[in-house]
Amino acid sequence: MNTGSSGTEGSSGEVAVASEEAEPDEAGSERGLGSRAPEFIKRRRALHLSWQVGVFVIGLAVVAAGIVMLPLPGPGWVVIFAGMAIWATEFVWAQLVLRWTKRKVTEAAQKALDPKVRRRNITLTAIGLTIVAVLVGVYLWKFGFVMPWKIEDQ
């Protein structure tokens, strides 16, 4: 598990963790990468390791629940990203994934607000709805309000 530690350990059992003065991301966040565990937990290696295991297990349970919700009813992607946020409290790789995801979502939102893209999307939606309405009209004209599995040879 990569926690952002440099692998050096002090004589009193302290674990070196990634600096809080890491470069801020493009969104302007001032928080650096690394563990968000309280200092008294970071000072004790065994306690910090058990903290990391607990965060990993809880995050894994939330991500697994989100994956189960993808084909079933429920906010699957929201729950998956919530699990990633839980992991990001302790693991650098999850923080980097969340920063990348946030950047991509922001870019997509800005692109969707572009007037040309909005006009294209509205036009394509109108064309699609027109095609569906014509197909439903043809079906109703030919068969009436009969379900397809009850249609006899015509």
Side-chain angles (χ1 to χ4, degrees):
M1 288 189 258
N2 181 8
T3 63
S5 61
S6 64
T8 60
E9 186 176 328
S11 60
S12 64
E14 294 179 357
V15 176
V17 183
S19 171
E20 291 295 322
E21 286 79 47
E23 62 186 56
D25 61 9
E26 289 87 26
S29 172
E30 295 299 323
R31 266 194 148 150
L33 297 174
S35 176
R36 306 276 195 272
E39 286 302 320
F40 74 93
I41 290 177
K42 287 188 215 177
R43 281 188 294 237
R44 293 167 183 83
R45 183 164 178 76
L47 188 57
H48 192 233
L49 184 61
S50 62
W51 176 273
Q52 289 175 332
V53 169
V55 167
F56 183 79
V57 168
I58 291 170
L60 184 64
V62 173
V63 168
I67 291 171
V68 168
M69 287 183 201
L70 287 176
L72 300 176
W77 285 111
V78 174
V79 175
I80 288 172
F81 288 122
M84 289 295 295
I86 291 170
W87 279 339
T89 64
E90 197 57 36
F91 303 109
V92 172
W93 61 268
Q95 293 169 2
L96 295 174
V97 168
L98 282 178
R99 285 183 182 184
W100 178 83
T101 303
K102 186 176 183 180
R103 189 171 55 249
K104 291 299 181 183
V105 167
T106 303
E107 289 173 7
Q110 290 301 319
K111 187 184 281 188
L113 294 176
D114 180 29
K116 287 182 180 178
V117 174
R118 290 185 71 198
R119 269 194 301 275
R120 183 199 65 201
N121 290 344
I122 290 171
T123 303
L124 289 175
T125 301
I127 291 170
L129 288 174
T130 303
I131 291 171
V132 168
V134 167
L135 291 174
V136 168
V138 167
Y139 175 84
L140 291 175
W141 173 71
K142 182 155 175 84
F143 300 109
F145 285 107
V146 179
M147 291 301 193
W149 50 85
K150 293 185 180 180
I151 293 176
E152 298 173 7
D153 293 328
Q154 301 264 339

